[in-house]
């Protein structure tokens, strides 16, 4: 399993949901499990999806007792985001989340999926490996989220569906007021 530890912090933002160990849902014995169905998640709002996901975590081997999900102000980009928050104080080196390694969405997940042939056909520039891997994971998440049934449906629909891409600095036009309002360091990162 993989553990994440953080330095002490008062009930504040701990990790973004992506940093919540990219906790993916493990394959189930049957693809008919309700939580694997897109229709199980789509009719519900963000709060209901999050509540369903948090109730499902223990049965899937994920243990995050001091982590919750909330909407909070993210000052460096000047926007409200939904993500993981500390529910209680966290001690230095304390284990925050335990996620079975096999349950994480990672580049290895993509390589072990039916998406693998696409990866082999792509021209990969070694200097751009990190960018390529991030793009492959993003495409994998989009594909899995669009399927009627996926072992990753719960994580994808509870974590990503409610996010407005306008909150991501890289999506803002450089000549927009929203981009100009960002801190210079965030602007520099978004231009990369």
């Amino acid at each position: 399993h993989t553990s994440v530890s953080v330095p002490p912090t008062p009930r504040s933002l701990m990790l973004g949901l992506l940093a919540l160990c990219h906790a993916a849902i493990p394959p189930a014995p049957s693809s008919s499990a309700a939580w694997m169905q897109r229709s199980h998640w789509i009719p519900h709002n963000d709060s209901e999806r999050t509540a369903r996901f948090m109730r499902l975590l223990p049965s899937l081997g994920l243990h995050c007792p001091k982590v919750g999900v909330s909407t909070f102000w993210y000052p460096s980009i000047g926007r409200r985001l939904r993500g993981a928050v500390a529910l209680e104080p966290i001690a230095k080196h304390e284990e925050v989340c335990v996620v079975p390694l096999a349950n994480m969405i990672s580049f290895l997940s993509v390589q072990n999926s039916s998406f693998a042939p696409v990866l082999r056909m792509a021209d990969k520039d070694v200097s751009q490996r990190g960018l390529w891997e991030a793009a492959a994971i993003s495409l994998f998440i989009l594909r899995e989220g669009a399927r009627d049934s996926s072992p990753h449906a719960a994580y994808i629909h509870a974590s990503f569906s409610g996010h407005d891409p306008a909150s991501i600095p890289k999506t803002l036009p450089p000549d927009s007021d929203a981009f100009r309002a960002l801190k210079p360091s965030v602007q520099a990162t978004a231009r990369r």
Side-chain angles (χ1 to χ4, degrees):
H1 74 274
T2 299
S3 299
V4 177
S5 297
V6 295
T9 178
R11 297 176 60 94
S12 64
L13 167 68
M14 242 176 38
L15 308 165
L17 271 179
L18 289 176
L20 182 56
C21 306
H22 293 285
I25 305 305
S30 165
S31 64
S32 64
W35 60 264
M36 292 178 65
Q37 304 304 312
R38 187 171 188 263
S39 59
H40 182 76
W41 302 96
I42 295 303
H44 304 287
N45 67 30
D46 292 340
S47 297
E48 292 165 336
R49 289 180 192 177
T50 299
R52 284 171 170 245
F53 181 66
M54 297 305 278
R55 285 192 304 269
L56 185 61
L57 291 181
S59 66
L60 300 170
L62 288 87
H63 182 69
C64 305
K66 292 186 176 183
V67 176
V69 177
S70 185
T71 302
F72 51 87
W73 179 252
Y74 203 99
S76 65
I77 62 171
R79 293 201 171 23
R80 292 193 67 74
L81 297 176
R82 186 173 57 105
V85 295
L87 298 175
E88 300 174 28
I90 297 170
K92 185 176 184 177
H93 303 295
E94 181 178 356
E95 195 169 74
V96 176
C97 267
V98 176
V99 179
L101 190 58
N103 297 350
M104 299 173 92
I105 291 182
S106 67
F107 190 62
L108 184 60
S109 309
V110 180
Q111 289 174 313
N112 289 332
S113 75
S114 60
F115 202 61
V118 176
L119 299 176
R120 286 192 290 275
M121 291 186 318
D123 178 35
K124 295 178 271 285
D125 177 353
V126 176
S127 69
Q128 298 292 316
R129 182 180 173 129
L131 181 62
W132 165 246
E133 289 181 3
I137 292 169
S138 298
L139 291 171
F140 178 77
I141 289 170
L142 289 170
R143 183 191 73 167
E144 291 299 304
R147 289 182 161 184
D148 288 335
S149 179
S150 169
H152 306 288
Y155 177 63
I156 291 168
H157 293 296
S159 303
F160 299 114
S161 296
H163 285 279
D164 178 2
S167 295
I168 303 169
K170 200 158 190 86
T171 65
L172 299 173
D175 60 348
S176 69
D177 290 337
F179 188 86
R180 286 191 292 271
L182 296 172
K183 291 181 177 181
S185 61
V186 176
Q187 288 180 6
T189 300
R191 286 187 179 120
R192 289 187 208 153

